[in-house]
Amino acid sequence: MAITSNVQMQSSIKRRRWQMPSRNAWKRNLTGYLFFSPWLLGMLLFNIIPIILAIYYSLTEYTVLQSPRWIGLGNYREMFMVDELFWKALYNTIYFAVFSVPLSLMLALILAMLLNSRVPGQSFFRATFFLPSIVPAVAASVVWAWILHPEYGLVNDMLAKVGIPGPPWLTSEVWSKPAFILMSLWGIGPTAIIFLAGLQDIPQHLYEAAEIDGANVWQRIRNVTLPLLTPTIFFNLVIGMIGAFQVFTQAYIVSAGGPLWSTLFYVLYLYNQGFQYFKMGYASALAIVLFVIILVLTVIVQLTSRRWVYYEGVQPQ
Amino acid sequence: MNTDIYPSKPAKSIPAPSMLQSKRLLNLISKTIIFIILVGAAVLFLLPLVWMISTSLKPKDQIFAYPLIWIPSPPQWLNYVKALNNPSFKFLLFLQNSLYYAVTSTIGVVISCALVAYGFARLRWWGRDFWFIITLSTMMIPYPVTLIPQFLIFKDIGWVGTFYPLIVPNFLGVPFFIFLLRQFFLTIPMDLSDAARIDGANELGIFWHIILPLTRPALITVALFTFLATWNDFLGPLIFLNDGKKYTLAVGLAAFRGQYRTQWDLMMAAATVVTAPIVVLFFFAQRAFIQGITLTGMKG
């Protein structure tokens, strides 16, 4: 087979190159590792060693004051079988992720489509939608705590104007999570801009062809826009999920997990265990579980993506 | 962007004039509706910021007023003086700390990531592809996961309470930006480097004089996003800067809220001054920001 021999030839060339035991190669490797050395150090010191340590600490009882004491899977047993707050935090976080991520993606997509329809002032709108996402999270949280004030807040005032009695938002166990979802929607600007770039990459002739075939606006969106945009949607879904599982600042500032732990999100709980109660072992176990959750999420989305992501001209790998 | 509104193309069939006209009218109507929706959305996006500024200037009796008052009269500029002169919100000190953290980190990230990306993109060395795959997988490690071991390590070497735990890692590379810059460095033809090598240039010279100038937009993107991320960072400074003199604006504002929870005028004044620098930066570097977003697919 011609193709195989070609591949073999290439690989043998490659091998010969790599095996060159000359001074030249030695120098080349040295230069390569010199450029790589900062990150080799950073990777080991701040990523790989901490992960290994986190696994070790998660198997110990460690209160900072005393040295770690080995307790095997004790932390995990407590977490899964005893600790109700762990389940509460997990539930809250999943609730938030399941509503906030798809809702954000949908609204961002709608915004992007509106932006893409060649109305005047596109760059102004783009900048305006982007602006909230760069407001420091602490400042944004403080502002939203005020905006969501049940009596004198902006949101309930606007709701009252259209005749809807405003909910008590952050003071209610039921409404506090929707309040966080609402807050997260303020930051959809960048997602909309990524979608807009994706939309602008779609070749115009496809729309024209669809139009000639008599497709209406909805059919064009359904059959041209969405399939061609799935790689972008997929990318944002993964990033959004990972981000939603790490929400911290808003919960810390706005509600501190309350009322009745209804906004105790996962990383806030991890922070509380580690840096309020100084249970470093238990917090490490929480960290490892978070790592596994994010890993599993990413893998699931990657695997299922093969069925619904359309890469133009490229077979999904 | 210079896309034609009406791309010239051969007409497939010539529609009757009246049909053309009605189609144009329909188009105009739909565009007007879209424009109105966009204006509405823009107002909604801006309202929280307007409300923040409005509240920051209100006299006490107009904060809790019904119906809501939008334009404070007379505007209480003194609120800003009160917020900034507050013993628990040392604005100038916090500003200095924030700038120190953000600027040094930005320099560190740009230098380290460019160097490492150059190694991955433009040099051949033993183990390169292996290390690159490892680098890609470290992108998946969330910060909270390594936070506790990092804290314990930094505590052991006495760095907790200093800026080192926040800044030093940035001088050793950030995987996402290494990946991003590598992609850019790969687009530059290898012949350019080879020619320089024949002329006797060393790798550092090629890196500095040829590659970096050609990838300036990517470097600016990395710098902007690093600045933004560090300026807005909360979790890191909250954990490592436990000394009130080292607070950044973000942590300072959080502490301020802890004390003045219901003094909304002062809270909003403080929030405004924390937000203002980043908004100013945005207005100057707006194009670069938005280009960066589309370049990286990254969120602000």
Side-chain angles (χ1 to χ4, degrees), chain B residues 50-80:
Chain B
V50 176
W51 185 239
M52 166 180 86
I53 296 167
S54 160
T55 306
S56 76
L57 293 170
K58 278 180 186 169
K60 285 266 181 282
D61 57 320
Q62 291 176 16
I63 298 170
F64 299 106
Y66 198 85
L68 301 186
I69 296 167
W70 277 95
I71 299 163
S73 64
Q76 301 294 301
W77 300 102
L78 216 65
N79 285 345
Y80 281 86

Side-chain angles (χ1 to χ4, degrees), chain B residues 64-141:
Chain B
F64 299 106
Y66 198 85
L68 301 186
I69 296 167
W70 277 95
I71 299 163
S73 64
Q76 301 294 301
W77 300 102
L78 216 65
N79 285 345
Y80 281 86
V81 179
K82 274 190 219 156
L84 300 187
N85 261 351
N86 198 289
S88 59
F89 190 70
K90 304 182 192 74
F91 176 70
L92 283 179
L93 181 69
F94 297 165
L95 178 73
Q96 222 177 316
N97 292 337
S98 277
L99 276 175
Y100 176 65
Y101 172 31
V103 171
T104 48
S105 296
T106 304
I107 295 169
V109 168
V110 173
I111 294 175
S112 62
C113 293
L115 278 171
V116 176
Y118 183 87
F120 277 130
R122 317 281 306 180
L123 300 174
R124 278 193 301 118
W125 38 282
W126 186 81
R128 181 190 68 181
D129 298 348
F130 166 76
W131 285 118
F132 186 64
I133 289 169
I134 302 286
T135 304
L136 287 185
S137 22
T138 58
M139 283 197 323
M140 281 218 301
I141 304 174

Side-chain angles (χ1 to χ4, degrees), chain B residues 168-191:
Chain B
V168 171
N170 284 330
F171 274 83
L172 298 180
V174 175
F176 178 73
F177 291 135
I178 292 172
F179 169 72
L180 183 78
L181 289 178
R182 170 186 175 269
Q183 301 305 94
F184 274 89
F185 291 171
L186 281 174
T187 61
I188 299 167
M190 284 295 172
D191 298 350

Side-chain angles (χ1 to χ4, degrees), chain B residues 272-290:
Chain B
T272 306
V273 294
V274 171
T275 309
I278 215 81
V279 172
V280 171
L281 178 72
F282 175 64
F283 275 113
F284 281 111
Q286 204 199 103
R287 276 180 68 91
F289 262 117
I290 288 175

